[in-house]
Amino acid sequence: MNYSYIIITPARNEEAYIEQTIRSMIVQTILPARWVIVSDGSTDRTDAIVGAYAGSRPWMQLLRMPERRDRTFAAKANCFNEAYRSLNGVSYDIIGNLDADISFEPDYFEYLLGKFAVHRKLGVAGTPFVEDDSGPYDYRFANIEHVSGACQLFRRECFEAIGGYVPIRGGGIDWVAVTSARMKGWQTRTFTEKTCFHHRKMGTAKGSVYEARFRLGREDYYQKYLGMDDKD
């Protein structure tokens, strides 16, 4: 297996968590060809933390976006797409989105790259995430074909076929990408032998847990209204 990969991480005011993500990445058994961390107008110490590590690691890059007030899901897609354009000319087989608030084991990416090597029609892959001691979802009752947006890896041909991430202000960009891949004939899969740890409760970047649940429920309703009714 000689797959190379690149990772893009949109980050907005992630000083509380991003160092844990960086420490997880720099000890990977297979390092990325390039890791672009996109600071989305951060006003805290995010840029300084990233810069301290990137200075001695040529495969790490900090990309700064203009400052803005709001935090939206569409902005995540815009950051990713800006970094994607900056990587024109870099050779790779796999491209991935990695959130700035998760950590994982040293062989995490080696494990996922191995799945692409074995499953030639695999277009999108990832693992479950956990947020506490309760463990990941019970995948007897969840859709194993969906891949969490905390870390999504795409085969390059698949990512190009779906046109990348589509900016959707109300959310669901990760789910739309996975669903689009299946519509194009690619296999998508969450592999449950490994997990990553999500340090911030899902959806709480802009408010409380209860506000996050309301927004996620509204997002589910909106996507079902559009006929997208197989979302987890």
Side-chain angles (χ1 to χ4, degrees), residues 13 39 43 46 79 85 113 129 145 147 170 185 224-225 228:
N13 293 340
S39 177
T43 57
T46 295
C79 286
R85 287 188 288 269
L113 291 176
F129 66 87
E145 291 184 320
V147 180
K224 286 180 171 65
Y225 177 75
M228 304 173 182

Side-chain angles (χ1 to χ4, degrees), residues 16 20 58 117 136 174:
Q20 296 175 88
D174 308 311

Side-chain angles (χ1 to χ4, degrees), residues 83 103 121 127 176 195 197 216:
S103 56
K121 288 296 293 180
T127 72
V176 169
T195 61
F197 191 88
L216 291 170

